[in-house]
Amino acid sequence: MTSYHSKRKRFAEEDSSRSKRSFKDLIRSRNHGDRCLSGDSREVLHQAVFQLVSLNQDTQAVISEALDRPHGTVSAEVRQGGEDNVVLPAVLKSLGQLESPADQSVPLLMSEKCVQRLLHCTGQVGDSKGDPSRTVQDKNDNLPTCVQTIQQLLRDDRLQPRHLTSLLIKEDVLPPELLWCLHCEDIMGLATYVSSKMTEPQFVKKFSSKLYELCEHKNSENTKSDPKRRQAAISGILSFLINSGFPEKKDKEVVFRKVSAAVLDDVMRGLVDRDGEEQQLVAFVGLTYIEDSLNQVSFKKFCTHSLSLLMSHRPSLKVSQAFKQQTQWKSAKVSEKISDLYKQLFLPFESREIMEVLQRILERQEVNWQTVLSFIATFLVCFPDAPKLLQGHIHSLLSDGLENADMESTIIAFLLARQSCLEGLHVFPHYQDWFQQTFGDANRSPASSKKSFSFFMKFLTNIVPYESAPHLKVHILRPPHVPPKCRPFLAEYITLAKTRLTDLKESCEISGGIYDNSIGITTTSNSSSKEVDPVEADIERSLTAFQATGKVPTTVMEASIFRKPYFVGRYLRSLLKPRHLPDRPDIRMKMIASLRKADKIPASMYTKYQEACRTESRQLLEGVFDADSQDDVMQDAMLAPLEQLRFRLQQLHNAVVSTEVQNKPTGQRVSEVISVISDKLEALLKTGGNMRTDEAPAGVTINPDKPDIAPLHLQIVDCLLNAICRTVTADLGSRCPVMTWLLELVKMASQHSTLHAPVIQRVALLLLKEGSTLNHQHMTGLSALVCHLSSLQHLFGPVTAHNCHQQGDNSGRLVDVLVHHFPLRTGDQLLSTLQFCTNYLEYSFLGFKKSDTKSSEEEPTAVIPSELVKMFCLLCWRLLPSTRTMVTLDSQHASAYTVFSSDKYQQLLGQSQVSFEDWVRRELDVNPDQDCLPYCLRQDYFSWAVYGHFLASTDRHTDVATVCSVLLDALVNKHKQAVCMLDKPQCGRCTGGDNSSRDSSPEILSLLQMLVQHLPPCSQPWLVSHLDSVTGSGEDAGKVSCQTAVISFTRLVGQLPAYLWVVNTLTDTPTSQHVAAFVNTLEQSLALYVSESSYLPCPLTLHITQCVLTLKSCGAEDGLLHNLILHPLLAVSVLVHWTTITSVLHASGAKGDNFLFATYFNTMAWAEKCIETQTFCPCVPPPWLCGAALFSLGLRHHGNMHAVTGLLSKSCVDQEMLAAYCELSLLSLAAAYTHTELEKQYLTDARMSLTSIIATHHHVLVALADKDLLETRVASHSARTFRKTALVQCVAEMKLSDACHTFGASPSTLTSVMHTYSQVCRQFEDTVRNQSISLLQLSKCAQFLKNVLNSVSLESLQSVDQNELSSAGPDFQHLVLSRLAAGR
């Protein structure tokens, strides 16, 4: 009993709990119960359940509950198990089993409920339950489940297909997503739906509206759906409509075909009509994905029809408006939505086919010019051969239009041409160039006949009211070719055009300035354009002319008088543009100073200019590149102008690097992005469309030590350089480098003349000053950029480098200037230059075309200059030991080795032989303290270069003498440069970026010292021959450069073996020919350039003395050496430096009994004894040597001067000795005019001594004036030049009484003095020579001579030559004639 009650109680509880369970729980536990029952029991249970449901359940409620199950309320676990896909069909199937054969209401009810559920999922009907938690997103997510359920029911024949289709068709317009789902699941095809609805009046409009709405992104929740499903729906429906509306064969019903096409047309019109609204187009991106699924014939028909539709849609724009508004339809300014649409319509066509379509459209229908011209702009930047095709079509239109007087064809041609010109030089020529090329040549001009030319002028006349000023200027300044008897037509048009320019307040002058320059084209409207100053070309030409002549050009001076408003209002305003002024005045500053001095610049304007320049002064910018922030990419319209430029440069990078994007027609095209970049540069630089297009740009001057770049320009240039470097590196690293994009970008940049100087100056600054800090990416990009900047020199103009010493040609292509000015002093600089050369050559070899330059293709330096080839070779030899033997690869510089060993480079190297001079010049610049090679490796490299390469080479005629000459020349030039730059500021090229002035001269000199020991015997000494080549012909006498070279030469020779003056090697026996050659060198070179007045410097005298002693010790003939050592120049030099010479002689063992120097010992002993006793002892021959000894004593000891003067004033003096002393004293006074080394006290004592001797021995004056004693053998060039001047001044310092006595005792002396005075006057008038005597001093001399002529006797006057008096001056002749006439 207890057991029964307990069981009953448990069953009651279970019944109670089951009564509370939902239908869902019952269904879910059905499988549990089945597993507990046998087969018969399970069947009995099923029948009982079906009977229970059929008797107690509302069928309509069950259907609703099954179909209305919200997908969003199911848990994730259940959703993953796919319960809905099993439960719902099972329930609906069970309902079908319950129906009686006579009852057909369930399929109908189920069909109605399915349609309601579909509409509810797409938002067509409201939610009857009003559940706010079920969002639109939830409903849309239930759509696939609902469709799949309906498909299953149809498959099981539980629905009425016709009834279901009729219910769907009864709806107004089904959403495209729903239609596509039904079409894909074979529930209702698109063809069925369109065929059933196409007769409804508003179907096309409503359906196209629904389709267009699906093509837009909106923020409203009502349109939220799965993006993939939406994209699939768009693509599928478009594919269906295209294939149906434009079938390959017209086998479909006409109405059906027209309805499909009409839907597409409405969508297209909607795209154009809503252009400019803030919507992002996603619709026709689908064409890219469905292209493969479309019939190609249908696709072409659709695109052709769409292009025709778009271009003819709303053709309300007049031609006059098109001419005015063309600039707003550049490819860079076309909206992204329309641009993408055009690109997708390009998909099935080649460029030639697009031109044919365009031609048919323009010929057959009225068009919307905005659409046509924006389409042309997009077409140009998307197809590489589009410019050529379009240019040919334009020429054809012009030929037909002008010949047949067809105004429409001519208008079309000009609209197309001007639109093409707006895209930039990288796509199409500038308008002025196109106009000149088309109409400037009689052989090519389509207006070459009188009929066509008159119509052409009529056309231009008709559009004058709508023309912009720059186009009118082109027609005036670059007029077309005029056929015979047609000049009046052109004159009439030019008059009208000038009148129109006057109305526009524009000048019609050439360049608006002084010179005949081509004008830039301003392609913006008058309201938005800001023109670049048109006088910039005038200023550049003026500066060039001023730099060449040092004078303000005549054209500028004339303009300041005859065109003063232009000169002051425009020319000076541009010339006086504020800037940071360099420390050393440049050409611009010098020209401004000259104009200021000529009172051509108003004082107030100049004052404002100075104040503005002071405010512009700033510190030099440091660093390499400004960091670009590219963390996120925002929409272009929301960015600042500079950020917009960075954004577009990133697009260029993506377009170049991504091969996948490049292969897709809808990807960003390189030309298109470059056009947009050009537009952004215009906006940043505020130049509008006024870009410089001069045929001969003025060029750029670079000064890496003092760059002058405005801050804004620096930011723009750094932004460009960063992008170029990044993109070049990525492009070269890809499998298929594009290579051509950089050329297009540089061509585009050439249009912006404002950027010419900043770009080139910045590149030069980075490579020359910051090269060692650049990474691989920067160096690679800059090398490629330099390659194109150099090849396009005709667009940028020549590059000129400013440095403190002008060596060679500093003007030309950028790469030539850079190679000439690369600092190669430190190890870092050598390595960075090697990297630049490597990258430059790699880029050139990889894909740079020589045809891009204006040089001949056969010219080896069209892209790669020979100097760069040589420099790269020298750097490789130095830094890559493997390149010396070409055996093993240097892993540290693998890329450099690869380039060096390539066939292309070896071919260039064969054409540009590296000479020994090139090697020495480069090595001399290296600072050993900062070299990357240690001392031992550097010596090994020197030995290999000299002995292992240049001397060992069989194809070079290089011997030891030649090598020694090259080394000595290089050292001399280096020494000259150091001397010349002592008092001048040095540029980066001189210092190489370091503060140390040390170079490799000591090591090169050490190398020379070793090599001269291997000189071969020769009849002409190598050293003497080389010195003769340095001095050259006698025409160079007196030139400072020649004198500096000889002085540097002798200083360096002092560190070589002394015997080289006479013989090449000690094994040679000196001959009279050797000695004669050296004597000739003494008189022709050393005396002229090295002698301080009449004697050589002490180091050189010691070196020659050592030479004589060395040859004596080697057994040379005493007679030859004796004649050599007694040469007047050597004799005077030895006596002057006797104190030092004697110490050397004693050290070498040569004493007074030495045959060679005994004469000197005896002569000096005689001279000292005479001075000491003040009496003349017997003279030691030769007498002139005694006079030289007395001169040396007076020169070395000032106290001896009075004793020497007193001794020589005696009457018993030997005349030859006296003359020698006076000659040497006079030469020392003459040399003092240019040499300030002599003490003033000595000069005063020497002048007094000479004056005193002349007063005592008047015959000396005649000898000094007329005879050549020692001058030609010992005198320096300056002493020879100013000898007579010194003589006249000595005479003028005599007492008048002494002078009258001297001239009275010897009347011929007065004639000699007057002759000398006349020669001094002629020398004073010669402006080529240095004026050694001032006008005041010359006047004093003249007055003294007049006093003498007034004081001497009449007999003395009568003996004076009248010709000499007239040469001296008319006042002298008048004075003498007056005295002779008066007889007193």
Side-chain angles (χ1 to χ4, degrees):
M1 184 67 67
T2 304
S3 176
Y4 171 77
H5 287 293
S6 61
K7 289 182 180 181
R8 185 174 181 178
K9 182 178 182 181
R10 186 177 73 248
F11 291 151
E13 291 175 355
E14 289 180 0
D15 291 341
S16 176
S17 62
R18 287 174 181 173
S19 65
K20 298 178 181 179
R21 296 171 69 184
S22 64
F23 180 75
K24 169 185 173 182
D25 295 331
L26 289 174
I27 296 299
R28 181 182 299 173
S29 61
R30 182 182 59 169
N31 292 333
H32 278 306
D34 289 350
R35 285 194 294 268
C36 300
L37 300 174
S38 62
D40 296 337
S41 300
R42 187 181 299 112
E43 184 65 25
V44 173
L45 178 61
H46 286 180
Q47 292 297 330
V49 170
F50 289 148
Q51 185 178 5
L52 176 65
V53 171
S54 62
L55 294 176
N56 298 285
Q57 183 66 36
D58 185 356
T59 303
Q60 188 171 357
V62 172
I63 296 173
S64 298
E65 182 180 353
L67 291 174
D68 288 346
R69 284 180 43 74
H71 181 75
T73 61
V74 181
S75 65
E77 296 178 357
V78 177
R79 192 179 306 167
Q80 291 176 359
E83 179 184 339
D84 289 340
N85 295 331
V86 177
V87 173
L88 298 182
V91 171
L92 296 177
K93 181 179 179 180
S94 299
L95 288 176
Q97 294 176 354
L98 295 176
E99 63 178 303
S100 62
D103 186 9
Q104 298 296 325
S105 62
V106 173
L108 297 178
L109 289 175
M110 292 178 68
S111 298
E112 293 175 359
K113 287 296 181 179
C114 285
V115 171
Q116 292 178 5
R117 181 59 181 163
L118 287 175
L119 297 178
H120 175 70
C121 289
T122 56
Q124 296 294 101
V125 296
D127 190 351
S128 58
K129 298 180 180 180
D131 186 1
S133 64
R134 298 179 64 184
T135 62
V136 176
Q137 182 70 37
D138 295 333
K139 297 176 182 178
N140 287 329
D141 289 343
N142 283 332
L143 179 62
T145 302
C146 186
V147 172
Q148 291 174 7
T149 301
I150 296 173
Q151 183 187 31
Q152 182 65 37
L153 293 174
L154 287 172
R155 192 180 299 116
D156 295 337
D157 294 330
R158 302 304 177 186
L159 294 177
Q160 290 289 341
R162 293 184 180 180
H163 185 59
L164 180 66
T165 302
S166 64
L167 290 175
L168 291 171
I169 293 174
K170 286 181 181 179
E171 296 296 324
D172 189 13
V173 175
L174 295 178
E177 282 186 86
L178 175 58
L179 281 175
W180 182 245
C181 288
L182 297 176
H183 176 82
C184 293
E185 300 297 338
D186 293 330
I187 298 174
M188 182 181 67
L190 284 171
T192 302
Y193 180 75
V194 174
S195 300
S196 302
K197 300 285 290 186
M198 62 184 182
T199 56
E200 296 182 8
Q202 297 297 320
F203 170 72
V204 171
K205 182 177 181 181
K206 291 180 181 180
F207 184 58
S208 61
S209 177
K210 290 279 187 180
L211 187 60
Y212 184 84
E213 289 176 1
L214 190 63
C215 296
E216 294 175 346
H217 284 303
K218 287 189 176 180
N219 296 327
S220 173
E221 292 186 353
N222 294 330
T223 59
K224 287 185 177 179
S225 60
D226 183 11
K228 294 183 179 179
R229 191 167 69 244
R230 182 181 63 244
Q231 182 63 57
I234 294 172
S235 302
I237 295 175
L238 286 178
S239 178
F240 167 78
L241 292 175
I242 291 172
N243 288 327
S244 301
F246 304 91
E248 182 176 1
K249 296 180 180 179
K250 296 183 179 181
D251 53 356
K252 296 183 179 293
E253 185 182 349
V254 176
V255 177
F256 179 78
R257 192 171 65 247
K258 289 184 176 180
V259 167
S260 300
V263 172
L264 292 172
D265 290 349
D266 274 6
V267 174
M268 285 290 182
R269 294 190 190 97
L271 292 172
V272 178
D273 291 341
R274 301 189 189 186
D275 183 27
E277 298 180 7
E278 296 297 328
Q279 298 166 339
Q280 295 184 355
L281 180 70
V282 298
F284 283 86
V285 176
L287 292 180
T288 307
Y289 303 103
I290 66 174
E291 180 182 7
D292 296 335
S293 64
L294 290 173
N295 182 287
Q296 290 303 307
V297 176
S298 300
F299 195 21
K300 277 193 176 183
K301 286 182 178 181
F302 163 71
C303 292
T304 303
H305 174 78
S306 299
L307 288 175
S308 176
L309 175 70
L310 292 175
M311 294 187 191
S312 60
H313 182 56
R314 295 185 178 179
S316 59
L317 198 66
K318 297 181 180 178
V319 172
S320 59
Q321 294 173 309
F323 274 112
K324 289 182 178 180
Q325 300 176 17
Q326 272 187 280
T327 57
Q328 303 303 319
W329 306 325
K330 295 167 56 177
S331 62
K333 296 182 179 180
V334 176
S335 69
E336 185 178 357
K337 181 168 68 173
I338 298 300
S339 178
D340 284 343
L341 175 60
Y342 290 154
K343 292 173 192 175
Q344 292 182 77
L345 294 178
F346 290 159
L347 286 173
F349 298 114
E350 298 291 338
S351 55
R352 177 183 52 80
E353 295 174 318
I354 295 177
M355 278 304 308
E356 294 174 355
V357 171
L358 177 65
Q359 186 175 355
R360 290 197 301 270
I361 293 173
L362 293 176
E363 288 176 353
R364 299 176 183 176
Q365 60 193 40
E366 189 177 3
V367 295
N368 183 322
W369 283 112
Q370 178 179 356
T371 306
V372 171
L373 296 180
S374 62
F375 171 82
I376 289 295
T378 308
F379 172 60
L380 281 170
V381 298
C382 288
F383 290 89
D385 56 343
K388 182 178 180 181
L389 292 172
L390 194 58
Q391 201 161 10
H393 180 59
I394 292 170
H395 193 274
S396 176
L397 285 174
L398 285 174
S399 299
D400 295 340
L402 296 179
E403 189 64 31
N404 301 323
D406 184 358
M407 185 65 72
E408 183 176 352
S409 296
T410 308
I411 290 173
I412 293 174
F414 265 82
L415 283 172
L416 297 182
R418 291 187 179 181
Q419 191 65 42
S420 303
C421 293
L422 289 174
E423 289 306 313
L425 189 59
H426 63 288
V427 175
F428 206 85
H430 288 294
Y431 179 71
Q432 58 265 43
D433 297 329
W434 172 82
F435 190 82
Q436 187 69 20
Q437 293 170 5
T438 305
F439 298 101
D441 189 350
N443 297 325
R444 293 182 298 177
S445 175
S448 56
S449 64
K450 183 177 181 180
K451 174 185 176 183
S452 59
F453 187 82
S454 61
F455 178 76
F456 181 43
M457 290 297 103
K458 178 183 177 182
F459 163 73
L460 292 180
T461 302
N462 290 342
I463 65 173
V464 163
Y466 320 114
E467 289 274 55
S468 64
H471 289 106
L472 292 173
K473 290 181 182 180
V474 169
H475 301 159
I476 296 173
L477 302 177
R478 292 190 174 184
H481 167 74
V482 182
K485 300 181 181 180
C486 293
R487 183 66 59 179
F489 298 119
L490 178 63
E492 183 179 354
Y493 168 75
I494 290 178
T495 302
L496 179 63
K498 287 184 177 180
T499 304
R500 176 59 179 166
L501 286 174
T502 303
D503 296 339
L504 296 174
K505 298 181 181 180
E506 290 283 345
S507 171
C508 62
E509 296 177 346
I510 298 176
S511 289
I514 300 170
Y515 298 95
D516 184 7
N517 298 322
S518 61
I519 66 170
I521 292 297
T522 303
T523 58
T524 58
S525 61
N526 292 334
S527 61
S528 61
S529 67
K530 293 186 179 179
E531 294 201 14
V532 174
D533 191 350
V535 300
E536 191 63 33
D538 286 349
I539 292 176
E540 294 295 336
R541 290 197 179 188
S542 302
L543 293 174
T544 302
F546 181 82
Q547 185 175 16
T549 63
K551 298 179 180 179
V552 178
T554 305
T555 52
V556 177
M557 300 301 288
E558 291 176 353
S560 67
I561 300 172
F562 301 108
R563 302 181 58 195
K564 195 167 185 178
Y566 166 78
F567 178 77
V568 176
R570 302 186 68 185
Y571 183 85
L572 286 183
R573 188 178 299 277
S574 183
L575 180 67
L576 299 179
K577 192 179 298 180
R579 64 190 181 106
H580 172 66
L581 299 180
D583 296 335
R584 288 186 63 193
D586 56 7
I587 297 301
R588 197 183 194 98
M589 292 176 64
K590 291 178 181 178
M591 181 169 169
I592 291 173
S594 298
L595 289 172
R596 174 67 174 161
K597 187 176 180 180
D599 292 332
K600 298 300 181 182
I601 302 177
S604 59
M605 180 180 287
Y606 187 74
T607 302
K608 292 180 180 179
Y609 164 70
Q610 288 182 314
E611 293 176 355
C613 288
R614 282 193 290 268
T615 60
E616 287 288 331
S617 298
R618 64 187 180 278
Q619 296 180 350
L620 294 178
L621 296 175
E622 299 178 354
V624 179
F625 292 102
D626 294 337
D628 289 336
S629 175
Q630 299 192 14
D631 295 333
D632 55 354
V633 179
M634 303 174 63
Q635 289 299 323
D636 185 79
M638 300 176 62
L639 299 174
L642 189 60
E643 295 301 322
Q644 292 180 13
L645 177 62
R646 288 194 176 99
F647 174 72
R648 295 302 180 179
L649 288 170
Q650 180 61 39
Q651 285 186 333
L652 176 63
H653 174 85
N654 297 337
V656 171
V657 173
S658 177
T659 306
E660 181 182 0
V661 173
Q662 282 293 310
N663 290 335
K664 290 182 179 180
T666 56
Q668 286 286 1
R669 309 277 179 168
V670 169
S671 298
E672 176 189 6
V673 181
I674 291 177
S675 296
V676 178
I677 293 172
S678 178
D679 190 62
K680 299 304 177 184
L681 287 175
E682 290 178 18
L684 277 170
L685 298 172
K686 298 181 179 179
T687 59
N690 194 356
M691 305 180 199
R692 181 175 185 153
T693 58
D694 293 350
E695 294 180 359
V700 178
T701 299
I702 60 175
N703 184 1
D705 297 304
K706 296 178 182 178
D708 185 14
I709 307 177
L712 175 62
H713 294 167
L714 183 64
Q715 290 180 336
I716 295 173
V717 171
D718 278 349
C719 185
L720 288 171
L721 295 184
N722 272 313
I724 288 173
C725 294
R726 184 173 61 253
T727 308
V728 167
T729 305
D731 188 21
L732 294 178
S734 63
R735 290 179 299 175
C736 302
V738 180
M739 299 297 295
T740 56
W741 65 271
L742 185 55
L743 178 62
E744 295 184 23
L745 185 66
V746 174
K747 284 184 178 180
M748 179 275 294
S750 69
Q751 303 170 75
H752 303 274
S753 59
T754 312
L755 286 180
H756 286 189
V759 168
I760 293 177
Q761 288 176 1
R762 185 62 169 159
V763 170
L765 172 66
L766 293 170
L767 290 174
L768 297 181
K769 301 292 288 184
E770 305 290 343
S772 57
T773 64
L774 298 176
N775 58 30
H776 174 71
Q777 175 177 291
H778 289 149
M779 190 63 79
T780 302
L782 291 177
S783 302
L785 180 59
V786 169
C787 191
H788 287 296
L789 288 174
S790 302
S791 68
L792 299 176
Q793 178 192 352
H794 59 285
L795 299 179
F796 292 88
V799 179
T800 304
H802 169 81
N803 58 5
C804 60
H805 63 290
Q806 300 295 330
Q807 293 183 344
D809 186 8
N810 287 324
S811 179
R813 297 181 301 180
L814 177 59
V815 64
D816 298 320
V817 175
L818 289 176
V819 169
H820 182 75
H821 288 83
F822 267 123
L824 300 175
R825 291 181 53 79
T826 68
D828 291 340
Q829 292 169 351
L830 291 169
L831 292 172
S832 64
T833 305
L834 174 66
Q835 185 182 0
F836 170 82
C837 295
T838 302
N839 294 333
Y840 187 94
L841 291 169
E842 280 182 332
Y843 186 82
S844 303
F845 293 159
L846 184 60
F848 191 87
K849 298 180 180 178
K850 291 184 178 181
S851 58
D852 293 330
T853 68
K854 287 193 172 183
S855 303
S856 174
E857 291 190 10
E858 290 75 21
E859 186 181 354
T861 59
V863 178
I864 306 172
S866 60
E867 286 301 317
L868 185 140
V869 175
K870 295 178 183 178
M871 184 169 67
F872 178 69
C873 179
L874 293 172
L875 290 171
C876 287
W877 284 349
R878 196 177 205 283
L879 303 176
L880 282 72
S882 57
T883 58
R884 305 172 196 170
T885 58
M886 301 297 291
V887 176
T888 58
L889 173 63
D890 193 325
S891 58
Q892 186 177 2
H893 303 285
S895 57
Y897 181 86
T898 303
V899 173
F900 184 87
S901 58
S902 65
D903 294 337
K904 292 182 179 179
Y905 177 76
Q906 290 299 321
Q907 182 180 0
L908 289 175
L909 186 59
Q911 299 169 355
S912 305
Q913 288 290 338
V914 179
S915 65
F916 187 63
E917 290 89 340
D918 299 325
W919 181 83
V920 176
R921 187 178 70 253
R922 294 294 183 186
E923 285 301 324
L924 268 176
D925 288 336
V926 179
N927 185 346
D929 296 335
Q930 301 181 16
D931 191 6
C932 54
L933 293 180
Y935 176 80
C936 57
L937 293 181
R938 190 163 57 252
Q939 295 305 312
D940 292 344
Y941 170 56
F942 284 2
S943 299
W944 172 85
V946 175
Y947 297 106
H949 181 73
F950 291 104
L951 287 177
S953 178
T954 57
D955 57 344
R956 294 183 177 88
H957 302 289
T958 306
D959 53 15
V960 175
T962 303
V963 170
C964 292
S965 299
V966 171
L967 291 175
L968 188 55
D969 279 339
L971 290 169
V972 168
N973 292 332
K974 197 70 176 178
H975 188 270
K976 282 172 54 181
Q977 177 183 332
V979 172
C980 294
M981 299 309 298
L982 286 177
D983 300 326
K984 298 180 181 179
Q986 297 185 358
C987 65
R989 169 67 177 158
C990 302
T991 62
D994 60 354
N995 296 324
S996 172
S997 60
R998 190 182 175 198
D999 52 36
S1000 296
S1001 295
E1003 296 184 359
I1004 298 298
L1005 179 60
S1006 176
L1007 183 63
L1008 176 61
Q1009 290 171 341
M1010 291 189 296
L1011 285 169
V1012 294
Q1013 299 177 18
H1014 304 289
L1015 285 170
C1018 186
S1019 58
Q1020 182 77 0
W1022 164 77
L1023 194 61
V1024 170
S1025 301
H1026 192 70
L1027 181 56
D1028 292 341
S1029 66
V1030 171
T1031 56
S1033 62
E1035 297 176 358
D1036 295 331
K1039 290 186 177 179
V1040 177
S1041 59
C1042 189
Q1043 183 178 12
T1044 306
V1046 176
I1047 292 175
S1048 301
F1049 180 90
T1050 55
R1051 289 179 178 175
L1052 289 169
V1053 168
Q1055 302 178 65
L1056 299 178
Y1059 62 81
L1060 293 174
W1061 284 112
V1062 179
V1063 293
N1064 285 354
T1065 175
L1066 290 177
T1067 59
D1068 279 354
T1069 301
T1071 63
S1072 58
Q1073 186 177 359
H1074 290 142
V1075 175
F1078 178 57
V1079 168
N1080 182 67
T1081 299
L1082 278 175
E1083 296 177 354
Q1084 299 299 323
S1085 299
L1086 300 183
L1088 277 174
Y1089 302 111
V1090 185
S1091 174
E1092 296 178 357
S1093 64
S1094 56
Y1095 53 88
L1096 299 174
C1098 184
L1100 183 56
T1101 305
L1102 282 173
H1103 198 248
I1104 297 175
T1105 302
Q1106 187 65 44
C1107 171
V1108 175
L1109 293 173
T1110 303
L1111 294 177
K1112 172 62 179 174
S1113 65
C1114 293
E1117 185 181 344
D1118 290 343
L1120 287 175
L1121 298 180
H1122 187 265
N1123 293 336
L1124 174 60
I1125 201 64
L1126 286 181
H1127 184 276
L1129 179 59
L1130 278 180
V1132 176
S1133 302
V1134 169
L1135 292 173
V1136 170
H1137 307 296
W1138 181 247
T1139 304
T1140 306
I1141 296 297
T1142 53
S1143 63
V1144 175
L1145 293 176
H1146 288 305
S1148 62
K1151 299 182 180 179
D1153 57 348
N1154 185 285
F1155 173 76
L1156 293 177
F1157 294 94
T1159 304
Y1160 290 107
F1161 282 104
N1162 296 334
T1163 302
M1164 289 305 299
W1166 172 87
E1168 291 172 354
K1169 185 177 181 181
C1170 289
I1171 294 297
E1172 183 180 354
T1173 61
Q1174 280 295 301
T1175 58
F1176 278 107
C1177 301
C1179 186
V1180 179
W1184 65 267
L1185 191 61
C1186 297
L1190 293 175
F1191 168 76
S1192 67
L1193 288 175
L1195 182 63
R1196 284 188 281 123
H1197 304 289
H1198 296 170
N1200 295 334
M1201 184 65 70
H1202 296 290
V1204 172
T1205 303
L1207 184 64
L1208 294 177
S1209 298
K1210 296 181 179 182
S1211 58
C1212 58
V1213 180
D1214 184 89
Q1215 298 301 314
E1216 186 178 355
M1217 178 184 65
L1218 181 63
Y1221 173 82
C1222 293
E1223 178 70 24
L1224 294 174
S1225 298
L1226 182 62
L1227 290 176
S1228 65
L1229 292 175
Y1233 288 115
T1234 56
H1235 291 78
T1236 59
E1237 293 84 359
L1238 297 175
E1239 297 181 6
K1240 292 184 178 180
Q1241 183 61 42
Y1242 165 75
L1243 296 176
T1244 302
D1245 293 343
R1247 190 175 291 109
M1248 291 178 60
S1249 174
L1250 190 58
T1251 301
S1252 177
I1253 293 173
I1254 291 174
T1256 306
H1257 305 282
H1258 54 80
H1259 62 276
V1260 174
L1261 185 59
V1262 178
L1264 293 175
D1266 299 336
K1267 296 181 180 180
D1268 180 11
L1269 302 177
L1270 296 174
E1271 175 187 351
T1272 57
R1273 307 194 72 185
V1274 301
S1276 64
H1277 181 267
S1278 59
R1280 297 183 189 188
T1281 303
F1282 305 121
R1283 179 178 175 276
K1284 295 185 182 296
T1285 303
L1287 180 59
V1288 170
Q1289 282 199 287
C1290 285
V1291 173
E1293 292 186 6
M1294 294 176 63
K1295 294 180 181 179
L1296 183 60
S1297 58
D1298 292 341
C1300 292
H1301 173 73
T1302 300
F1303 297 143
S1306 178
S1308 61
T1309 305
L1310 184 57
T1311 300
S1312 298
V1313 171
M1314 294 305 300
H1315 175 70
T1316 304
Y1317 174 76
S1318 63
Q1319 289 179 328
V1320 172
C1321 290
R1322 285 195 294 271
Q1323 179 182 347
F1324 180 80
E1325 295 172 357
D1326 188 359
T1327 57
V1328 176
R1329 298 177 181 269
N1330 294 325
Q1331 296 182 0
S1332 58
I1333 183 173
S1334 65
L1335 182 60
L1336 179 61
Q1337 292 172 328
L1338 190 62
S1339 300
K1340 289 181 178 180
C1341 295
Q1343 187 59 44
F1344 177 79
L1345 292 178
K1346 289 178 183 179
N1347 293 337
V1348 170
L1349 293 175
N1350 270 324
S1351 302
V1352 297
S1353 62
L1354 292 177
E1355 292 78 6
S1356 299
L1357 287 179
Q1358 291 174 351
S1359 64
V1360 178
D1361 190 350
Q1362 295 298 319
N1363 292 329
E1364 297 296 342
L1365 288 175
S1366 62
S1367 299
D1371 48 347
F1372 287 95
Q1373 190 175 22
H1374 177 71
L1375 175 62
V1376 173
L1377 293 178
S1378 299
R1379 281 198 65 193
L1380 292 176
R1384 55 184 178 84

